[in-house]
C-alpha cells in the first residue's frame, strides 16, 4: 500500500489508458478527463494492487484505503489537540459540518451560514514533513494497515488507533471524548469486567510517569474525564472543562503512541497490561 501524489504525468497516463474509443467519443472522453484533472490533480492517492474479481477488488481496496487514511490521520495536527477538527478523508468522504440559520426579525430576514467546528486542522504534507513522520512511528503504524498476520496486541492497538483517529472528525466534544476513552480501554483493560475509570487512570499514570508526568495529577484528570463523559451534553462546556479535555487528549495521544511503539514487543494485550502494572510497582 502506497500513498502517491497525483501529478500531471499521472493524469496523462490515466488518459492514455483509455483506448479503442470511437472518433465521435473523443470530445466526451477529453471533457471527462479535464473535469477529473480539475477535481483530483494535486491530491494524493492510496495505491495498491491485488488479484480478485473486479467487484471484490473494489470493495476490498476501498476498505484498505479507508484504514490507511484513518491510520495516517493519527499523525495529523488535530490528533493530539482536542480543539482541532480534522477534515482529512478520502475524496468524496470529506465532512465539514456547517450551519444555516434563518432569523425572522421585525421587517427583515437574516441568513447566517457558518462552519460548526471552531478550528479546522487542514493538513498538507511537504517532503520535509514526510521525512519527519517517517523518522517517528509512521512506519510502525503502516505495518498495521493489513490486519492479516498481526498479533492479538497489534490488532488491539490497530483498533484503538482507528477509533481515536475517527474521533478527530467528530464535532460533538462528548462523542469525541467517548471515542477517545474507548480507544484507551481497548489497550489498557485486561477484560470487560475491570473497573474502567480506576484501571485506565492507574495505567495511564504509570506509562506517563516514565516520561516525567505527575501520577496523581493524571489519575485525577482521568477520573474527572470519566465523570464528564457521563453527561448528556458537553456543547456548552466552560473554560475549565475545555482545559481538562485538552490535557486529557494530549495524555491519551501519548499513551497510544507508547502502545504503538510496543507492538513489536508484546504478542497479547494481557502481556502488555501485566508489564505496565509491574512497572507501576517499581515507581511507587
Amino acid at each position: 500500500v502506497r500513498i502517491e501524489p497525483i501529478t500531471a504525468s499521472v493524469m496523462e497516463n490515466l488518459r492514455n489508458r483509455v483506448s479503442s474509443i470511437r472518433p465521435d467519443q473523443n470530445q466526451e472522453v477529453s471533457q471527462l478527463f479535464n473535469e477529473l484533472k480539475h477535481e483530483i490533480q494535486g491530491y494524493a492517492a492510496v495505491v495498491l494492487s491485488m488479484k480478485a474479481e473486479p467487484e471484490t477488488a473494489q470493495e476490498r481496496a476501498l476498505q484498505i484505503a479507508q484504514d490507511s487514511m484513518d491510520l495516517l490521520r493519527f499523525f495529523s495536527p488535530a490528533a493530539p489537540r482536542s480543539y482541532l477538527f480534522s477534515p482529512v478523508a478520502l475524496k468524496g468522504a470529506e465532512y465539514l459540518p456547517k450551519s444555516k440559520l434563518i432569523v425572522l426579525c421585525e421587517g427583515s430576514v437574516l441568513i447566517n451560514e457558518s462552519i460548526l467546528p471552531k478550528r479546522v486542522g487542514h493538513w498538507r504534507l511537504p517532503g520535509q514533513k514526510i521525512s519527519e513522520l517517517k523518522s517517528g512511528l509512521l512506519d510502525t503504524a503502516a505495518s498495521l494497515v493489513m490486519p492479516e498476520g498481526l498479533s492479538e496486541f497489534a490488532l488491539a492497538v490497530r483498533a484503538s488507533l482507528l477509533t481515536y483517529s475517527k474521533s478527530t472528525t467528530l464535532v460533538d466534544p462528548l462523542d469525541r471524548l467517548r471515542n477517545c476513552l474507548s480507544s484507551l480501554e481497548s489497550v489498557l483493560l485486561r477484560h470487560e469486567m475491570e473497573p474502567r475509570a480506576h484501571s485506565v487512570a492507574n495505567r495511564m499514570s504509570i506509562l506517563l510517569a516514565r516520561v516525567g508526568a505527575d501520577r496523581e495529577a493524571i489519575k485525577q484528570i482521568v477520573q474527572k474525564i470519566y465523570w464528564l463523559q457521563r453527561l448528556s451534553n458537553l456543547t456548552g462546556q466552560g473554560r475549565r472543562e475545555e482545559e481538562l479535555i485538552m490535557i486529557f487528549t494530549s495524555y491519551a495521544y501519548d499513551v497510544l503512541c507508547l502502545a504503538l511503539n510496543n507492538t513489536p514487543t508484546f504478542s497479547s494485550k494481557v502481556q502488555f497490561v501485566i508489564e505496565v502494572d509491574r512497572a507501576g510497582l517499581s515507581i511507587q
Side-chain angles (χ1 to χ4, degrees):
V1 179
R2 307 184 310 280
I3 296 180
E4 298 183 351
I6 304 175
T7 62
S9 61
V10 169
M11 296 302 302
E12 185 64 27
N13 288 336
L14 285 176
R15 176 66 180 85
N16 293 335
R17 290 173 71 92
V18 180
S19 58
S20 303
I21 60 174
R22 299 193 310 270
D24 62 324
Q25 293 179 317
N26 280 328
Q27 184 175 354
E28 294 180 2
V29 172
S30 295
Q31 182 179 352
L32 172 64
F33 273 90
N34 283 336
E35 293 174 355
L36 190 62
K37 178 179 179 180
H38 178 74
E39 182 182 6
I40 68 173
Q41 184 172 316
Y43 287 87
V46 180
V47 182
L48 55 111
S49 62
M50 67 178 72
K51 292 183 179 180
E53 293 293 332
E55 184 175 346
T56 302
Q58 291 181 55
E59 292 177 358
R60 181 69 176 130
L62 180 59
Q63 184 60 58
I64 294 171
Q66 185 65 68
D67 290 346
S68 300
M69 184 56 58
D70 288 343
L71 287 170
L72 181 62
R73 194 192 299 113
F74 181 74
F75 299 93
S76 72
R81 300 172 176 89
S82 61
Y83 51 86
L84 280 183
F85 171 88
S86 176
V88 177
L90 295 178
K91 187 68 176 175
E94 309 98 327
Y95 173 58
L96 196 57
K98 301 178 181 179
S99 67
K100 187 180 185 97
L101 300 177
I102 300 177
V103 183
L104 304 180
C105 307
E106 289 187 11
S108 66
V109 176
L110 300 178
I111 299 177
N112 183 17
E113 295 185 52
S114 63
I115 296 174
L116 287 177
K118 296 179 181 178
R119 298 181 64 181
V120 179
H122 295 287
W123 198 22
R124 298 293 183 268
L125 280 175
Q128 180 183 354
K129 288 294 184 180
I130 294 174
S131 299
E132 291 176 6
L133 281 178
K134 290 184 69 66
S135 66
L137 291 171
L138 183 64
D139 287 340
T140 306
S143 68
L144 305 180
V145 170
M146 307 296 290
E148 292 81 7
L150 294 179
S151 68
E152 189 264 344
F153 180 59
L155 287 172
V157 173
R158 181 183 190 272
S160 292
L161 296 188
L162 294 177
T163 299
Y164 184 92
S165 175
K166 290 174 183 175
S167 75
T168 66
T169 67
L170 303 176
V171 179
D172 190 323
L174 187 56
D175 290 338
R176 181 166 183 175
L177 191 59
R178 286 169 176 161
N179 272 34
C180 184
L181 285 170
S182 177
S183 66
L184 288 169
E185 291 169 358
S186 293
V187 292
L188 294 181
L189 295 181
R190 296 193 194 195
H191 48 73
E192 290 293 321
M193 298 304 293
E194 278 198 299
R196 296 174 184 272
H198 171 77
S199 300
V200 170
N202 190 52
R203 287 166 186 153
M204 282 185 71
S205 72
I206 293 170
L207 288 167
L208 296 174
R210 304 176 79 174
V211 292
D214 185 327
R215 284 195 63 183
E216 290 306 315
I218 293 170
K219 288 180 183 179
Q220 291 180 15
I221 288 173
V222 177
Q223 294 285 353
K224 291 177 181 178
I225 285 294
Y226 268 93
W227 175 80
L228 273 180
Q229 66 92 27
R230 289 194 292 269
L231 300 179
S232 59
N233 189 352
L234 259 181
T235 55
Q237 74 268 29
R239 180 173 297 179
R240 182 176 299 178
E241 287 80 9
E242 288 179 352
E243 291 179 353
L244 180 66
I245 294 173
M246 181 178 66
I247 295 171
F248 171 75
T249 302
S250 176
Y251 284 161
Y253 185 80
D254 289 343
V255 167
L256 292 179
C257 285
L258 289 169
L260 175 60
N261 192 43
N262 277 283
T263 51
T265 306
F266 300 96
S267 60
S268 73
K269 181 170 62 172
V270 171
Q271 285 181 338
F272 175 70
V273 171
I274 289 174
E275 183 58 33
V276 172
D277 290 343
R278 182 181 295 120
L281 295 175
S282 66
I283 60 176
Q284 286 182 349

